Amino acid sequence: AIERERSGAEARLAADRQRLDQVGAEGERLAAKRASLVEERLSLAADLETAKKELTQASGRCDSLESSINERMAHSESLSGDQLALTERLNEREQRHARLDSRRDTLVELIESRSSLDESVRTVLDAKANAPEGSMLSRLVAPLGELIEVSAEDAPAVEASLGAALQALVLDGTVHDAAELAAESLPGRITILPTLGLTESHAADTPEIAQLAPGHVTAVASLVHCQDELRPALERLLSGVMLVRDLDAAMLLAAGPLRGRLCRFVTRDGTVLEADGRILAGPAGRGEGGAGILVHRSELAELDDQLAALDGQLSQDKKELKALAGEAAAINAELHERRVELADAQRARNASENSRDRLTAQLERLDRDLPAIERDLASAAERRAAIETAREELAAKLEGLRRLADEQSAVVAQLEKSGEKLNTDAELATEEVSHARAETGAQRERLTACERELTQAKRERESQETARMRLVQEAEQREARIEEHRVVMSEAKSEEEGARAEAEQGKESLNDLSARMTEAADAVVKVAERLAAVRERATALDRDWQALEVSKREIEVRREHLEERSHQEISLDLAAEFWEYECVMVQGDVARIDQGEVGERIGELAGDIKKLGHVNLDAIEEEQDLVGRNEELAQQVEDIDAARDQLETLIERLADASRDRFKEVFTTIQNNFSGNDGMFRRLFGGGKAELRLLPVMKEDADGNKVEGDIDWLESGIEVIAKPPGKEPRSISQLSGGEKTMTAVALLMSIFQSKPSPFCVLDEVDAALDDANVERFTRIVRQFLDQCHFIVITHNKKTMATADVLFGITQQERGVSTRVPVRFDQVSANGEIKASVREPALGAAG
């Protein structure tokens, strides 16, 4: 039994030695792992500091670039506003220039065609070029209206003063005799104004007349500029013609200071008061001789000055617009560079944030692992100490067993002598030993189970300790967030108190405004009553004025009727004859007419005319008018035919240019859409697409619809798509997602040909799955340097690729609130940073 116990002790000692070696190896492994973790923690801490510095630098660079981009964008918007204002001003000036230029061409055509002159005068001027040298026609200079100059302001007055004399032909010299005048075959009645042989005129009386009413009259002759040799004739024509402010002033002067003098008065708008009291008013008609000659020439000179000034202004505006366009292009280029730098800086900042978060997570993991390893090392040391203690105890026990074995060996030797006697006792002892061994084995098994349960309990305690520490950390974080919410609640309460105070002030202001509005309403009622009275008085005055106007018009109609009858029946111009008659009567050369005798003579003549029967005396004039009208209509027909030919030519040119331009653009879009590296293959990851023109449908001889040739201006467009793994089909036969992807590919192909500054996409990705959404957003981001995309979507993947999110919420019924969020304002755990969260909460509230 002692040998067996010693053998068991030696076995247990060997097992303890093996366990001790295992515990030592595990301790060394844990120590090495702890050293490695400590070294790794130091390295991670250094990397974390570096990542924080890089993140700070990247954030500063992003902020700097964003502020620079905002400044450039503000400057660009200012330049855009200046460009828009300058473009509008340039367009207005160009339109004004076009109107003035058109008016100038019209005036030049009118002046060159001499349409204001009578036909006989134009015929004489045309015959002047072929007249023999020395004849009277060769000595004709030009109409009087083309040889004098006046300002635009004075042109209507001078033109009304000269009247038909404006188309008088100025003769260089004088008419030698009647034979010379009869030798010329004149086509009609003309007026000739010689520059020599004129008698003394009354022009010298004009300044003297003007002195009788200084400041109220001006001699019209002083307003006209001409050559010196023409001055005497012009002063004779304008003798006694005075320029006055208005017709009332003329009538007062004629009845006052200038009464009894042969003076004619003219206003700046062309109203003439004749010496006999006749008033010539209203615009001059085209048929009146010389009407519009001076006005047109004065207006032409004024238009030339205005066009010259406009040309200078247009040149200056174009230079400024070109400079602004260059500056805007430079700013756009700089904005593009800044955006590229900002994108790089943001990517670097995001990488730094990811690195910082990764390193922080690794440090937190190491901080959690190191205490566990320390505890494992302490446990291993405790187990090693326990094993060593048990080993020492077993060694001491083994030594005792060895001594006992030696003693028992001596006893055995003595007992062997009496072995036969003790065999029976030995067998009994053997049975007892077997029973004890069985009980010892059971005890050992129970001990091993208890050790396993103890080890499992230790592990559970360590895991619970780790969970407890994690819960403590979460509780600390939640307490910090609760404290932040408390701060926000206190700020909200202070803002609520301020809002209530502002509401009280608003109520007081509203009461004051209500009182002021009541006073204003009373004042409005009083003013309305006064206005009604004034309107009634104005109505009465207007009614009286209308009655006076009707009476005046009736008298004028009666006078015009008498003048017209005298002109038609006896070809007598009463106005001119009456003026001459009064002039002669004033001089006393002619006695008054016996009205009775003249009346009897008029009756006799009227009877003779009545006996002659009805004769159309206007037939010749009507024929001339019809001939002129026929020529005018023929000229208009020729003009219309020429305009039609020009329009047809222009339409053909536009069609050719449109066809070439559309063909070029269609080919470019077709290559961008269906090429080997086109948008369709890039979006679908393969496949094939075709963009083609449809033949134009036309009717055959039987009236049936058949396909014709392709017309670049009339043909329709068909899209044939073949997604990967499918047959080619029309776009109308594709699924919703395939239609969307095909439409996006075509849109981006058009953008490649001619980018648009802004693009709005409304629920484009609604029919797309996650993989196609990723392709769609990747393609969209490739165009951000050329276009700004505004995407209306509910897809989270699409939102994740955006730079700015705008949410619309209705915290109050019927009131929509916009809440913008930038991704650089969201932390790694999905929370909005405190620096931007508080203003946003205040705005939402």
Side-chain angles (χ1 to χ4, degrees):
I2 293 171
E3 288 293 336
R4 282 194 298 273
E5 189 175 357
R6 186 184 68 179
S7 299
E10 289 179 352
R12 287 196 301 272
L13 185 62
D16 289 339
R17 186 180 297 110
Q18 185 177 3
R19 287 174 59 196
L20 185 61
D21 293 338
Q22 291 177 354
V23 171
E26 184 178 1
E28 292 176 357
R29 182 180 60 79
L30 290 174
K33 185 176 181 180
R34 181 182 65 179
S36 175
L37 290 178
V38 170
E39 183 179 358
E40 184 179 359
R41 188 180 186 286
L42 293 175
S43 176
L44 289 176
D47 294 341
L48 181 59
E49 292 297 327
T50 303
K52 287 181 178 179
K53 291 180 181 179
E54 293 178 354
L55 178 59
T56 303
Q57 294 176 357
S59 298
R61 180 167 177 77
C62 287
D63 295 338
S64 175
L65 288 174
E66 285 179 354
S67 61
S68 177
I69 288 174
N70 291 333
E71 291 176 0
R72 295 296 186 276
M73 289 182 67
H75 192 192
S76 178
E77 291 176 359
S78 176
L79 287 179
S80 299
D82 294 342
Q83 279 184 311
L84 181 60
L86 187 57
T87 303
E88 291 178 354
R89 186 176 68 187
L90 183 61
N91 291 336
E92 291 177 358
R93 288 181 175 174
E94 286 181 347
Q95 292 175 3
R96 183 184 174 195
H97 187 280
R99 291 194 298 269
L100 294 179
D101 194 25
S102 175
R103 179 58 180 169
R104 181 184 178 279
D105 294 340
T106 303
L107 292 176
V108 170
E109 183 179 357
L110 288 174
I111 293 173
E112 291 180 351
S113 63
R114 293 174 172 172
S115 59
S116 300
L117 301 179
D118 291 343
E119 182 67 26
S120 58
V121 176
R122 291 200 300 269
T123 304
V124 170
L125 291 175
D126 293 338
K128 173 181 175 295
N130 300 324
E133 187 70 23
S135 63
M136 186 189 71
L137 289 181
S138 65
R139 290 188 290 117
L140 292 176
V141 180
L144 178 62
E146 298 180 2
L147 299 177
I148 61 177
E149 295 180 358
V150 294
S151 63
E153 183 182 7
D154 300 329
V158 176
E159 192 171 88
S161 301
L162 291 174
L166 285 171
Q167 59 179 341
L169 297 175
V170 177
L171 181 65
D172 186 10
T174 185
V175 179
H176 299 300
D177 52 19
E180 182 182 15
L181 185 61
E184 304 294 345
S185 298
L186 298 178
R189 193 168 187 82
I190 63 173
T191 302
I192 299 175
L193 183 62
T195 58
L196 297 177
L198 297 176
T199 61
E200 185 67 24
S201 68
H202 299 284
D205 298 338
T206 302
E208 180 180 348
I209 295 173
Q211 292 298 325
L212 295 177
H216 297 281
V217 296
T218 303
V220 175
S222 63
L223 305 177
V224 183
H225 304 282
C226 64
Q227 297 180 358
D228 294 339
E229 56 269 18
L230 190 59
R231 173 60 64 178
L234 186 63
E235 290 181 349
R236 181 177 180 84
L237 291 173
L238 296 175
S239 175
V241 182
M242 298 297 163
L243 177 66
V244 294
R245 184 178 66 255
D246 52 23
L247 185 60
D248 293 338
M251 296 176 70
L252 289 174
L253 290 172
L258 301 182
R259 184 176 183 181
R261 292 182 177 270
L262 297 178
C263 295
R264 299 171 64 205
F265 299 95
V266 61
T267 62
R268 291 195 181 277
D269 59 357
T271 302
V272 181
L273 177 62
E274 298 288 351
D276 56 2
R278 288 180 298 113
I279 299 174
L280 305 180
R286 183 176 179 181
E288 299 181 14
I293 295 178
L294 295 181
V295 174
H296 293 164
R297 294 175 66 86
S298 302
E299 185 180 358
L300 179 60
E302 188 176 7
L303 285 178
D304 289 335
D305 296 337
Q306 293 180 3
L307 285 173
L310 271 180
D311 289 335
Q313 293 174 356
L314 286 174
S315 177
Q316 183 65 26
D317 289 345
K318 288 179 180 178
K319 289 180 181 178
E320 293 180 3
L321 186 60
K322 185 176 181 182
L324 286 176
E327 187 175 357
I331 289 177
N332 289 333
E334 187 176 356
L335 272 176
H336 176 66
E337 294 177 358
R338 291 288 187 274
R339 287 195 178 102
V340 173
E341 292 180 4
L342 178 60
D344 296 339
Q346 287 177 347
R347 285 194 290 271
R349 183 180 62 185
N350 294 335
S352 300
E353 288 181 351
N354 295 333
S355 177
R356 182 199 61 186
D357 296 339
R358 178 177 54 79
L359 293 174
T360 303
Q362 291 179 358
L363 278 176
E364 292 175 355
R365 179 180 57 79
L366 290 178
D367 290 338
R368 290 193 303 269
D369 292 343
L370 280 175
I373 292 174
E374 292 290 342
R375 289 192 298 271
D376 291 342
L377 281 173
S379 177
E382 292 176 358
R383 290 199 304 273
R384 182 183 180 85
I387 291 171
E388 288 180 351
T389 303
R391 186 172 176 276
E392 291 176 357
E393 292 176 356
L394 283 174
K397 185 178 181 180
L398 182 60
E399 187 64 28
L401 288 174
R402 284 176 181 174
R403 288 194 303 269
L404 182 60
D406 292 339
E407 293 176 357
Q408 292 300 324
S409 295
V411 174
V412 167
Q414 293 177 1
L415 292 176
E416 283 179 355
K417 295 178 181 180
S418 56
E420 292 179 358
K421 184 179 179 180
L422 297 176
N423 282 332
T424 303
D425 297 334
E427 290 177 359
L428 294 173
T430 301
E431 292 178 359
E432 292 177 358
V433 168
S434 298
H435 180 70
R437 284 179 179 175
E439 187 176 357
T440 303
Q443 293 292 334
R444 285 179 179 174
E445 288 178 359
R446 287 195 295 273
L447 179 61
T448 303
C450 290
E451 289 178 352
R452 285 197 301 270
E453 291 178 359
L454 179 61
T455 303
Q456 184 67 25
K458 287 181 180 180
R459 291 177 180 174
E460 290 179 358
R461 186 184 66 180
E462 292 172 357
S463 62
Q464 290 176 359
E465 184 68 21
T466 303
R468 185 184 67 80
M469 294 179 65
R470 185 173 64 253
L471 291 175
V472 169
Q473 292 177 356
E474 292 180 357
E476 292 176 354
Q477 292 178 356
R478 292 182 183 275
E479 288 178 357
R481 294 179 64 183
I482 290 171
E483 187 64 27
E484 291 179 358
H485 288 304
R486 287 175 180 171
V487 173
V488 172
M489 289 173 63
S490 62
E491 292 179 355
K493 288 181 180 179
S494 61
E495 291 180 358
E496 182 181 3
E497 293 175 358
R500 288 178 179 175
E502 291 179 359
E504 292 297 330
Q505 294 178 359
K507 288 181 180 179
E508 295 177 359
S509 300
L510 181 61
N511 294 331
D512 295 340
L513 289 176
S514 299
R516 292 173 61 187
M517 188 173 67
T518 303
E519 295 176 358
D522 296 337
V524 167
V525 170
K526 295 179 181 179
V527 171
E529 293 175 353
R530 293 175 58 192
L531 180 61
V534 171
R535 283 180 176 172
E536 291 178 359
R537 183 179 177 186
T539 303
L541 292 175
D542 185 62
R543 188 167 55 251
D544 296 340
W545 181 79
Q546 291 290 343
L548 292 175
E549 283 291 326
V550 170
S551 301
K552 177 184 175 183
R553 185 57 185 166
E554 290 177 354
I555 295 172
E556 290 179 350
V557 169
R558 290 174 58 192
R559 187 195 67 186
E560 292 174 357
H561 180 65
L562 291 174
E563 291 179 355
E564 184 178 358
R565 283 188 58 192
S566 62
H567 186 272
Q568 290 179 354
E569 294 178 357
I570 58 177
S571 299
L572 178 64
D573 188 355
L574 285 179
E577 295 295 336
F578 182 75
W579 179 69
E580 293 180 0
Y581 173 75
E582 279 197 345
C583 292
V584 175
M585 288 295 295
V586 169
Q587 295 175 1
D589 297 337
V590 178
R592 292 187 176 275
I593 299 175
D594 186 357
Q595 295 183 359
E597 182 180 355
V598 171
E600 293 178 358
R601 179 61 177 164
I602 289 173
E604 294 176 359
L605 293 175
D608 295 340
I609 293 173
K610 188 174 182 180
K611 292 177 181 178
L612 292 175
H614 296 287
V615 178
N616 189 4
L617 300 178
D618 298 332
I620 299 175
E621 295 181 359
E622 290 178 359
E623 181 185 8
Q624 292 178 354
D625 292 340
L626 290 175
V627 171
R629 181 62 178 166
N630 185 28
E631 293 177 354
E632 184 178 357
L633 291 176
Q635 182 64 35
Q636 290 180 2
V637 171
E638 292 179 0
D639 294 341
I640 292 172
D641 292 338
R644 183 190 62 189
D645 296 338
Q646 292 178 358
L647 287 175
E648 291 177 351
T649 305
L650 181 59
I651 291 171
E652 292 177 359
R653 290 173 57 190
L654 288 175
D656 295 338
S658 301
R659 187 178 293 105
D660 295 339
R661 179 59 178 161
F662 178 76
K663 184 176 181 181
E664 178 184 355
V665 174
F666 181 80
T667 304
T668 303
I669 295 174
Q670 189 179 38
N671 294 332
N672 295 335
F673 175 71
S674 58
N676 293 329
D677 193 22
M679 280 295 167
F680 185 87
R681 291 179 60 84
R682 290 164 64 182
L683 270 174
F684 282 89
K688 186 178 180 182
E690 184 179 359
L691 191 65
R692 64 188 183 185
L693 296 176
L694 297 175
V696 179
M697 302 300 293
K698 62 181 183 180
E699 294 183 357
D700 57 5
D702 298 333
N704 299 322
K705 295 288 186 178
V706 296
E707 292 186 356
D709 297 331
I710 292 176
D711 189 347
W712 286 95
L713 294 180
E714 301 294 336
S715 296
I717 299 176
E718 184 180 17
V719 179
I720 302 297
K722 180 184 178 299
K726 294 188 177 181
E727 294 297 327
R729 60 187 66 182
S730 176
I731 190 172
S732 60
Q733 298 174 346
L734 298 176
S735 64
E738 291 172 342
K739 287 180 181 179
T740 300
M741 296 289 283
T742 305
V744 170
L746 183 58
L747 176 64
M748 296 307 174
S749 302
I750 296 173
F751 274 20
Q752 279 185 317
S753 172
K754 185 176 182 181
S756 176
F758 289 94
C759 178
V760 180
L761 302 177
D762 187 4
E763 296 288 352
V764 173
D765 54 357
L768 302 180
D769 55 11
D770 292 343
N772 287 330
V773 169
E774 291 181 359
R775 295 193 185 102
F776 163 70
T777 55
R778 185 170 61 251
I779 290 297
V780 168
R781 292 198 68 86
Q782 294 177 4
F783 285 84
L784 291 182
D785 57 341
Q786 299 176 349
C787 179
H788 295 279
F789 288 89
I790 301 172
V791 183
I792 302 172
T793 181
H794 292 283
N795 194 291
K796 296 181 179 179
K797 288 186 175 292
T798 306
M799 296 181 190
T801 60
D803 296 328
V804 180
L805 286 180
F806 293 93
I808 304 299
T809 179
Q810 282 193 354
Q811 296 180 352
E812 183 179 351
R813 178 180 293 274
V815 179
S816 298
T817 304
R818 181 173 59 88
V819 182
V821 177
R822 294 183 63 89
F823 280 98
D824 55 1
Q825 298 172 353
V826 181
S827 61
N829 57 2
E831 296 182 356
I832 300 177
K833 297 179 180 179
S835 59
V836 297
R837 184 175 64 245
E838 295 177 0
L841 289 174

